[in-house]
Amino acid sequence: MTVMSIARFERFFRAAAGLDVDKNDLKRYSDFVDAKLYDLLTVAQATAKANGRDIIRTCDLPITKGLQESIHHFQKIDQEVELKPILEQLATHPALDRTPDEETEAAYPDVIGGLSLALAQTFKILHPDLKNPQTQHWDEARALFDLLL
């Protein structure tokens, strides 16, 4: 990730939840994004299969009300931070039995952005005075998302 990308990543977490993250947090963040996108696509794949389709549509993604609100909030923050181009690079998915259509793939950056915003806010919910997330904080947040997504 370039220095410019790291700066945007840091700016996003400051804007989203007043957190100071650094380049060392990028690996944890990237792992989180990969895992959660895969989880969402796994459920979407099952939904597409149950509906007799060979493709995954955006409506197959299990987007909850809370995640939808986080996506909308991310879109507002992203106008200032411009993280979406970086998220497009992170928005890769493993091989699946069903192929996502173009509209679904185009939605990945916003979905990841919503997950990212929810992640940042989760840190603050769990630890209101937190400024700089450490490994323990990342592990707690990840466990919570694993439970819910």
Side-chain angles (χ1 to χ4, degrees), residues 29-41:
Y29 172 72
S30 179
D31 290 347
F32 171 83
V33 166
D34 288 345
K36 294 302 107 194
L37 182 59
Y38 178 75
D39 290 348
L40 291 172
L41 287 170

Side-chain angles (χ1 to χ4, degrees), residues 6-23:
I6 294 168
R8 286 184 188 175
F9 168 74
E10 292 170 343
R11 219 169 54 225
F12 170 75
F13 273 86
R14 268 193 300 280
L19 296 170
D20 293 324
V21 294
D22 56 35
K23 64 181 180 180

Side-chain angles (χ1 to χ4, degrees), residues 39-55:
D39 290 348
L40 291 172
L41 287 170
T42 299
V43 173
Q45 179 175 257
T47 301
K49 183 177 181 179
N51 288 314
R53 282 186 273 104
D54 290 335
I55 60 165

Side-chain angles (χ1 to χ4, degrees), residues 1 17 28 30 43 50 59 68 74-75 103 119 128 132 137 139:
M1 193 171 270
R28 292 182 197 123
S30 179
V43 173
C59 62
Q68 186 65 50
F74 163 75
Q75 291 168 334
E103 180 182 323
L119 172 66
N132 188 342
H137 305 118
D139 291 346

Side-chain angles (χ1 to χ4, degrees), residues 16-115:
L19 296 170
D20 293 324
V21 294
D22 56 35
K23 64 181 180 180
N24 296 324
D25 291 313
L26 283 174
K27 173 71 170 127
R28 292 182 197 123
Y29 172 72
S30 179
D31 290 347
F32 171 83
V33 166
D34 288 345
K36 294 302 107 194
L37 182 59
Y38 178 75
D39 290 348
L40 291 172
L41 287 170
T42 299
V43 173
Q45 179 175 257
T47 301
K49 183 177 181 179
N51 288 314
R53 282 186 273 104
D54 290 335
I55 60 165
I56 296 171
R57 294 187 181 150
T58 307
C59 62
D60 296 324
L61 293 170
I63 305 295
T64 63
K65 177 183 175 281
L67 181 52
Q68 186 65 50
E69 289 172 0
S70 292
I71 290 169
H72 291 307
H73 191 147
F74 163 75
Q75 291 168 334
K76 291 176 186 173
I77 289 175
D78 192 49
Q79 291 175 2
E80 299 169 23
V81 180
E82 297 178 0
L83 192 64
K84 197 170 181 176
I86 297 163
L87 297 182
E88 288 172 352
Q89 296 170 9
L90 292 176
T92 59
H93 62 82
L96 302 164
D97 291 340
R98 304 285 190 268
T99 303
D101 64 13
E102 287 180 23
E103 180 182 323
T104 303
E105 287 184 340
Y108 290 174
D110 284 331
V111 171
I112 292 170
L115 287 168

